Amino acid sequence: MNVKHFFIVSLLLLTTLFSAQAQKKSYLQTLAEPNKWVDSVFKRLSKRQKIAQIFFVRAHTNFGKAYEDSIGKVIKKERIGGLVFFQGGPARQAILTNQYQSLARVPLLITSDGEWGLGMRLDSTISYPYQMALGAVQNKDLLYKMGIEVAKDYKRIGMHMNLAPDVDVNNNPKNPVINFRSFGENKYNVATKAAAYMKGMQDGGLLVSIKHFPGHGDTDVDSHYDLPQLTFTKTRLDSLELYPFKELIKDGAAGVMIAHMNIPALDNTPNMPSTLSKPIVTGLLKDELGFKGIVISDAMGMNGVVKNFKNGEADVMGIIAGNDIIELSENSARAIKLVRKAIRADRISMAQIDESVKKILAAKYWAGLNVKKSIDEQNVVAEVNRPESLALLQQLAEASMTMLRGKNNIQQLKAEQRTVIISIGTPEVTTFQRELGAYYKNAIFYTLDKNANANAIAKVLRDLKAFDQIIIGIHDTRTRPGNGMLLSADLNMFVKDMALSNAVFALFANPYNLAALPGLEQSKGLIIAYQKEDFMQKAAAGVIKNQIIATGKLPVTVNSFFNYGDGL
């Protein structure tokens, strides 16, 4: 073979290799094709075992051995289809997953909620920014990369599906359950950001489930505790709530999760949750929108669904409605018996069960479960905390920084001038202060706890005249950055007074909290940093040090002073 011929052959081989990698078929594409593995597994299942494949139960690695063993017994006896992991640790989960898979006759599909990555459920793992912060990011390629990294993490510990992203349009500031979990109030922004994240995960080999269909963003009731009602017209729902779902279905979403909501415009049956509604699940999602992938119920133990449909009836109705996976039944053994009874009574056809089971088996095949392989139990924590993932985390934080006031004033801050750096809401010196203190060498720190009274504030005020520059961080120290961040009345007055001086502010909280901090609209400098974590504090400090340019745009409207899309 001459040199020219060698290079041509080599080039053709490389082209074929890259083409094969680039053309890995999506889960939806594989559904339309014959699959020998799916067929062979399906034929070995009894009617009862087929029904059991539809049920996914809860798993933990922080509940102790007795609980772990009880789930093992369920896997072995009931032969369920999969698991939804909740709290625990990544190494423990990898080990337990190996044990659970060894008990299963048909491999288990392993899932969890990871809207912001493994850290949503597991310790010792990365939590990427909440979707509210990501809604501010203007570079959607960063969200795609995040999806790729999340897929690597999931696959590393033996998981196959992420019950994410959340594609609800949060146009109700009082929403108690979605809120910061949403990319914001604008349907186009939500669809664009969610699509980038979803594509990253799916290109990384992870199944997804967009949620909460047909849209949980404009509710003021948490469906964990009661049944929210959406009283909007079908026209409104179609033009707003459903928009991101329609776009992501077009983009090839593998799964859709159904919410527990009562929506009279779509199904006027009294107290009917959308999860149990055939007109919504089959009529709207499958028939009208043409969705062919896996339909997953939201957790079936939530009061939004079991309040009015008790003793396992919700599980039966969820299947009748068209759900392929029933997630977290209150009692899966009871549910399987009730579904068998419903089939005998002609409430459910076996053909419908068969269709769902084949979708689930096809998902297992797509995820690689046709090949038996154990998870490597060594170095798990290190390998889900990769340097490139941590670097991306910081990039995302920096890209979310949103400057609402005082760009010029912040640019004029001087490193050598006497600077006071105050943290409000926490009694401890913060990362924000330390980062700024390393730059502003002639600086002093003060902290004011969220309950600080007039005496504590007066001590700080006495010293402020000696300084040329005032920088204030306002910190919400709660686990989740919802609304209702509480500061003492004296602190609220202090913030208002400082806003009228030359102080520059950074808010480490949900932007909706701006409505409860009057005066900041007049501040000489205001940066929104969305949440309390160190990566956000470092990013905000970078902006104030003029080392990072704030490019974020506000993803929600707070009031007449702070509107969607604002950002200098």
Side-chain angles (χ1 to χ4, degrees):
M1 185 186 295
N2 61 36
V3 173
K4 183 178 180 182
H5 189 208
F6 173 78
F7 278 119
I8 291 171
V9 170
S10 299
L11 185 60
L12 285 170
L13 285 170
L14 284 170
T15 302
T16 303
L17 175 65
F18 287 127
S19 177
Q21 290 175 338
Q23 291 175 7
K24 183 188 184 242
K25 289 177 179 171
S26 71
Y27 166 68
L28 294 179
Q29 288 173 320
T30 64
L31 281 178
E33 299 175 345
N35 189 308
K36 290 180 181 178
W37 183 83
V38 170
D39 291 341
S40 67
V41 174
F42 180 80
K43 286 172 185 174
R44 294 199 304 268
L45 298 175
S46 67
K47 285 184 178 180
R48 188 201 167 284
Q49 290 161 0
K50 288 175 183 175
I51 295 165
Q53 283 293 302
I54 290 171
F55 289 90
F56 282 44
V57 304
R58 174 185 289 265
H60 282 257
T61 59
N62 68 334
F63 276 11
K65 191 171 188 310
Y67 182 86
E68 292 173 6
D69 291 346
S70 72
I71 300 303
K73 288 175 184 174
V74 170
I75 292 165
K76 199 168 182 179
K77 184 179 178 183
E78 297 177 24
R79 297 172 73 167
I80 54 170
L83 299 173
V84 184
F85 267 98
F86 285 80
Q87 282 74 19
R92 286 171 282 157
Q93 185 170 316
I95 293 165
L96 191 58
T97 298
N98 277 337
Q99 293 174 20
Y100 285 161
Q101 291 287 21
S102 72
L103 296 172
R105 300 272 189 92
V106 177
L108 298 159
L109 194 72
I110 310 293
T111 75
S112 81
D113 293 289
E115 294 163 26
W116 46 91
L118 289 183
M120 182 166 174
R121 296 298 186 203
L122 302 181
D123 61 37
S124 312
T125 56
I126 293 174
S127 285
Y128 287 96
Y130 299 123
Q131 289 187 190
M132 180 72 78
L134 298 178
V137 174
Q138 299 304 295
N139 180 359
K140 67 180 182 180
D141 289 344
L142 290 175
L143 276 72
Y144 177 85
K145 290 177 184 176
M146 173 179 150
I148 292 284
E149 293 303 306
V150 169
K152 288 178 186 174
D153 291 340
Y154 263 63
K155 291 165 72 178
R156 175 62 186 86
I157 64 171
M159 289 200 286
H160 317 108
M161 175 180 257
N162 189 357
L163 303 176
D166 188 310
V167 304
D168 298 312
V169 180
N170 199 83
N171 46 9
N172 185 341
K174 294 179 181 177
N175 193 319
V177 64
I178 304 303
N179 203 299
F180 64 89
R181 296 166 60 193
S182 166
F183 289 105
E185 71 176 36
N186 180 280
K187 65 182 182 181
Y188 304 110
N189 189 43
V190 169
T192 300
K193 303 294 169 54
Y197 182 23
M198 179 191 81
K199 286 177 183 175
M201 287 191 282
Q202 293 195 152
D203 286 355
L206 192 63
L207 295 157
V208 305
S209 173
I210 59 176
K211 59 188 184 185
H212 303 81
F213 186 86
H216 209 316
D218 197 353
T219 62
D220 55 10
V221 172
D222 185 341
S223 52
H224 289 86
Y225 306 111
D226 207 341
L227 180 64
Q229 187 176 69
L230 264 65
T231 56
F232 310 122
T233 64
K234 186 174 180 186
T235 301
R236 146 73 193 255
L237 292 164
D238 185 65
S239 66
L240 182 58
E241 277 78 9
L242 284 169
Y243 179 81
F245 290 97
K246 291 190 286 187
E247 291 302 301
L248 269 68
I249 286 168
K250 286 181 203 169
D251 285 339
V256 172
M257 179 183 284
I258 312 296
H260 306 312
M261 298 185 298
N262 179 247
I263 313 171
L266 302 180
D267 186 340
N268 61 10
T269 309
N271 300 316
M272 179 62 73
S274 41
T275 344
L276 312 187
S277 167
K278 192 166 185 177
I280 292 174
V281 179
T282 297
L284 177 58
L285 178 60
K286 293 183 175 182
D287 295 342
E288 193 174 323
L289 300 186
F291 180 65
K292 304 298 184 190
I294 297 180
V295 182
I296 306 162
S297 76
D298 205 344
M300 294 296 279
M302 293 163 61
N303 272 349
V305 68
V306 297
K307 180 181 178 181
N308 297 299
F309 299 90
K310 300 181 184 299
N311 303 319
E313 176 63 10
D315 298 319
V316 174
M317 290 182 63
I319 292 173
I320 293 171
N323 290 281
D324 300 305
I325 290 174
I326 299 296
E327 185 200 6
L328 310 184
S329 163
E330 288 182 305
N331 185 327
S332 53
R334 176 185 67 185
I336 292 165
K337 288 178 184 175
L338 289 172
V339 173
R340 293 180 74 187
K341 185 178 177 182
I343 292 168
R344 289 194 293 270
D346 290 329
R347 293 182 69 198
I348 302 172
S349 72
M350 200 61 214
Q352 182 182 338
I353 298 291
D354 289 349
E355 183 184 347
S356 292
V357 173
K358 285 180 179 177
K359 281 188 193 178
I360 293 163
L361 293 176
K364 293 180 179 186
Y365 178 85
W366 189 85
L369 284 165
N370 57 309
V371 178
K372 195 162 187 177
K373 186 181 176 185
S374 292
I375 306 157
D376 182 358
E377 297 175 1
Q378 304 301 313
N379 303 314
V380 175
V381 173
E383 290 175 22
V384 294
N385 288 276
R386 298 175 301 281
E388 61 269 28
S389 301
L390 293 166
L392 176 62
L393 173 64
Q394 195 58 49
Q395 277 184 288
L396 286 161
E398 291 170 4
S400 73
M401 290 297 107
T402 306
M403 189 177 293
L404 295 180
R405 294 288 184 274
K407 185 176 182 179
N408 291 336
N409 291 331
I410 290 172
Q411 288 175 343
Q412 289 168 17
L413 293 173
K414 300 288 189 296
E416 67 280 358
Q417 288 195 323
R418 294 170 300 173
T419 306
V420 60
I421 307 167
I422 305 168
S423 280
I424 291 175
T426 173
E428 299 169 354
V429 171
T430 61
T431 296
F432 179 63
Q433 287 174 300
R434 285 190 287 268
E435 288 285 318
L436 289 172
Y439 178 79
Y440 295 101
K441 301 292 186 183
N442 193 8
I444 191 167
F445 302 157
Y446 289 98
T447 61
L448 290 167
D449 183 55
K450 64 182 180 180
N451 299 314
N453 59 25
N455 290 334
I457 293 167
K459 290 178 185 176
V460 175
L461 283 170
R462 277 197 296 268
D463 295 340
L464 290 187
K465 293 176 183 177
F467 294 92
D468 304 305
Q469 301 174 153
I470 304 170
I471 302 170
I472 300 174
I474 303 174
H475 300 258
D476 183 357
T477 58
R478 295 174 297 170
T479 305
R480 298 283 182 262
N483 299 3
M485 178 182 67
L486 294 176
L487 298 177
S488 70
D490 291 324
L491 269 179
N492 280 325
M493 185 58 68
F494 175 69
V495 168
K496 188 174 183 179
D497 291 343
M498 288 298 98
L500 295 172
S501 71
N502 65 342
V504 166
F505 292 85
L507 179 67
F508 301 99
N510 187 314
Y512 286 129
N513 287 291
L514 284 168
L517 293 167
L520 285 182
E521 69 277 1
Q522 300 181 65
S523 62
K524 304 301 185 292
L526 175 61
I527 296 162
I528 304 303
Y530 297 97
Q531 53 192 84
K532 66 183 175 60
E533 281 71 22
D534 284 351
F535 52 80
M536 287 295 190
Q537 296 190 45
K538 289 176 182 177
V543 173
I544 290 173
K545 292 185 286 186
N546 291 303
Q547 295 170 352
I548 294 167
I549 297 172
T551 58
K553 302 294 181 185
L554 200 61
V556 293
T557 293
V558 176
N559 52 27
S560 59
F561 301 112
F562 303 112
N563 295 286
Y564 169 81
D566 284 355
L568 302 176

